[in-house]
Amino acid sequence: MNWDWEKLSEQKRRQGSPLPDPGRFGEDLGKKLSTFKPRLPGGPKIAVLVVLLLWAASGIYIVEPDEAGVVQRFGAYVLITGPGPHYHLPFPIETVKTPKVSQVRRVEIGFRSVYGRSGESLQNRSVPEESLMLTGDENIVDVQFSVQYQIANAVDYLFRIDHPEETVKSAAEAAMREVMGDAQIDSVLTSGKLKVQNDTKVLLQTMLERYGSGIDILAVQLQDVHPPKEVVEAFKDVASAREDKSRFINEADAYFNDILPKARGRAAAILNEATAYREQTIRRAKGGADRFSALRTEYDKARDVTRERLYIEGMESLLSTPELEKIILSDEAARQAVPYLPLGQLPPAAAPGDGAGRTEAPKADPAKAAKGGRP
């Protein structure tokens, strides 16, 4: 340093300019500062006042609509504030925490979602140490599920438990293992998933209330339930067989529900037709009997006239029927002609061993055998 100073002195001397004295330079700087300080109005008092104002203003805080303001005084809970601007005593006297009480939080158990650069979920990474569970019938099942929850009590959430997310995760895994331990694997893989979700939700909520966590469980959702990879194919075959069974039962029920009303309707129609036929036959027979009784009364009063009228009505009915084949012979022609037998209308001969083994002679048709006179 001495050599440098001497070299610099020699250089300045040659140039003709005096060198500054280091000691004199410090003294000049102190004098300038002493003359500058009195020029500030108030001096250090203003600076202290500004610092105090900034410290007091640090107590202003705003609570968002989805938050709750929890004020602490020397670390102890004092009060809770709602949305809007508020004020608390500056740090370190009071502090405030604003947890989001309306935010729906989600915890994954048995798997972890893997997200891409744009934020979309690409795939789920399995976590076997969390997902493998034992059912009530001693079968191993791989259960992946998620839990959705909200903050119900901000004070309990902040001060009663440490690491709330880890607490919910551990409690949810314990609750699911307990529910699975009481269930059968067939029910878990097929129709019992909804019951498993509801039972786990109730049990998890009970556990967290016992902890005083201030957490409200919104839903427990099963993401994937399947047997271990070693036996998954066999379980798929069983599940397919059960689905086929259910489908066949549904088809049979549908056919039953379709054919039974039709059969009942047909049976009711047949019964109505039979009832109508019965009433018709009874009324017709009763009318015939009444008519015969009336004719009997008239016949007793005038037998010849009644006989003649009945004969005329019978012949009129026979002759006015176009479908009926009629052969009319006079008395003289009937005495000369061979008696007419309707051989083409004879019934077939009885089979051997049938009754008496003989056939009855056909009855003569009175219209075909009419001779033109009275019988």
Side-chain angles (χ1 to χ4, degrees):
M1 291 296 297
N2 296 333
W3 180 84
D4 292 341
W5 177 254
E6 291 177 357
K7 185 177 181 180
L8 182 61
S9 300
E10 182 66 22
Q11 184 178 359
K12 291 295 183 181
R13 186 180 59 81
R14 291 177 182 177
Q15 293 178 356
S17 60
L19 292 177
D21 190 358
R24 293 292 301 275
F25 179 77
E27 294 177 0
D28 294 339
L29 181 62
K31 291 179 179 179
K32 290 181 180 181
L33 290 177
S34 61
T35 57
F36 177 75
K37 188 182 299 184
R39 296 177 185 177
L40 292 176
K45 295 181 181 179
I46 298 293
V48 173
L49 182 59
V50 171
V51 172
L52 290 175
L53 289 176
L54 293 176
W55 178 70
S58 65
I60 300 174
Y61 67 97
I62 297 177
V63 180
E64 299 295 335
D66 61 339
E67 298 175 342
V70 180
V71 180
Q72 297 173 256
R73 184 173 299 161
F74 298 110
Y77 164 71
V78 177
L79 57 91
I80 187 167
T81 58
H86 301 277
Y87 181 80
H88 69 85
L89 296 177
F91 179 85
I93 301 174
E94 289 183 350
T95 57
V96 63
K97 294 181 179 179
T98 56
K100 295 185 177 297
V101 294
S102 62
Q103 179 183 356
V104 178
R105 293 169 168 82
R106 184 170 181 264
V107 175
E108 298 174 347
I109 298 95
F111 72 103
R112 299 292 184 272
S113 297
V114 179
Y115 297 95
R117 294 182 177 179
S118 58
E120 75 278 6
S121 179
L122 300 179
Q123 61 183 356
N124 293 335
R125 179 175 58 85
S126 178
V127 184
E129 57 270 17
E130 295 177 1
S131 61
L132 293 179
M133 301 181 184
L134 192 65
T135 62
D137 51 0
E138 297 181 355
N139 284 292
I140 299 177
V141 64
D142 195 328
V143 182
Q144 299 177 2
F145 67 101
S146 63
V147 177
Q148 296 179 356
Y149 67 94
Q150 277 183 330
I151 299 175
N153 189 317
V155 177
D156 292 342
Y157 180 81
L158 293 174
F159 305 121
R160 296 294 295 272
I161 58 175
D162 257 346
H163 307 291
E165 183 174 348
E166 295 296 330
T167 301
V168 173
K169 178 180 174 182
S170 300
E173 183 179 349
M176 181 62 74
R177 290 187 183 278
E178 182 173 346
V179 173
M180 283 293 175
D182 296 333
Q184 304 294 318
I185 190 169
D186 294 337
S187 175
V188 171
L189 295 177
T190 55
S191 61
K193 295 182 179 180
L194 181 60
K195 184 177 184 302
V196 169
Q197 293 181 163
N198 295 334
D199 293 347
T200 305
K201 177 184 175 183
V202 173
L203 182 57
L204 177 58
Q205 185 67 59
T206 303
M207 295 172 64
L208 293 177
E209 289 177 356
R210 192 183 308 126
Y211 299 158
S213 61
I215 293 175
D216 184 22
I217 300 299
L218 300 180
V220 174
Q221 296 179 344
L222 291 173
Q223 302 294 326
D224 190 12
V225 181
H226 58 270
K229 296 180 180 179
E230 292 76 11
V231 294
V232 66
E233 294 299 330
F235 273 90
K236 286 183 179 179
D237 294 340
V238 173
S240 299
R242 293 182 184 278
E243 292 176 357
D244 292 339
K245 175 185 175 182
S246 300
R247 179 170 57 84
F248 293 149
I249 292 175
N250 293 334
E251 292 176 355
D253 291 339
Y255 178 74
F256 171 81
N257 295 329
D258 177 65
I259 199 66
L260 186 60
K262 293 181 179 179
R264 288 175 177 171
R266 181 58 181 164
I270 293 174
L271 289 176
N272 293 334
E273 291 175 0
T275 302
Y277 178 75
R278 181 189 66 182
E279 295 295 330
Q280 180 183 4
T281 304
I282 292 174
R283 293 179 183 276
R284 183 180 297 171
K286 185 177 181 181
D290 295 341
R291 180 175 178 273
F292 182 81
S293 299
L295 290 175
R296 175 69 182 180
T297 302
E298 297 299 326
Y299 180 78
D300 291 339
K301 293 179 181 180
R303 296 189 176 188
D304 294 336
V305 176
T306 303
R307 185 185 300 113
E308 185 72 18
R309 182 169 65 81
L310 291 175
Y311 174 74
I312 292 173
E313 291 177 354
M315 293 303 296
E316 181 181 5
S317 176
L318 291 174
L319 295 176
S320 63
T321 306
E323 294 83 5
L324 184 64
E325 183 181 357
K326 296 173 281 293
I327 300 176
I328 303 174
L329 299 174
S330 63
D331 292 340
E332 183 179 356
R335 286 193 294 270
Q336 296 178 1
V338 178
Y340 173 74
L341 294 177
L343 298 178
Q345 301 179 6
L346 291 177
D354 183 13
R358 56 186 176 84
T359 60
E360 295 182 357
K363 296 181 180 180
D365 190 342
K368 294 181 181 180
K371 301 178 181 179
R374 298 180 181 178

